[in-house]
Amino acid sequence: MSVRPITIVGHRALAQRTRRVREVTDDIRTLVADMFETNDAADGAGLAAPQVGARWRLFVYSCEDAQGIEQRGVVLNPRLERFGGIALDDETLEGCLSVPGEGFPTARHRGARVTGIDLDGQEVVVEDTGGVLARALQHEVDHLEGTLYLDRLSPARRREALDAVTARGWRAEGLRAWDPRQIEAADV
């Protein structure tokens, strides 16, 4: 297992749709193990394959559900179902390891259910209503579709977010990834 560099907004991998996992190979198992290690090193709630430069339709998660219980797992070929009303709370900031150190209020459905398979090819269903997990499920599946949470912001918040990204200078410096072993997200 190893920590992989995390792609930053502007990296082409983040704008592409992913490919279905047709067979769980040793390479897929290694990718997933590395993603867990990378997510842990970055103190993330979840991490999708494009965030480490892979085009597979899978993500890992490690965050609390609405009951405050830590949930951890992997979902391959997820299908997302959103339910409940859409919530936008100015006090709840959504962040992303691919937009390190930034966070903005983002409208999301209160509930989410993801159905897919695990590394053993067994069906897995992950569901939450009102917790960080519900938000993370929606966020990670968005990554698999080539969508960043910045794309879901209101026009005013999106302008604010793009200004913040520009101020960080990643594009001007040619920075396309960061290593969570070497630097904290807020300092990228």
Side-chain angles (χ1 to χ4, degrees), residues 4 12 50 62 71 80 92 94 97 101-102 138 147-148 185:
R4 296 187 182 201
R12 65 182 267 227
S62 182
Q71 301 293 328
L80 174 67
T92 303
E94 185 166 329
L97 295 176
E102 298 296 334
Q138 295 170 76
T147 300
L148 290 176

Side-chain angles (χ1 to χ4, degrees), residues 2 27 54 77 79 88 91 95 117 119 132 134-135 139 156 166 177 185:
S2 63
D27 286 344
N77 303 326
R79 294 177 309 281
L88 176 60
E91 301 300 313
I117 61 170
L119 289 175
V132 173
R135 183 172 291 276
H139 181 108
T166 299

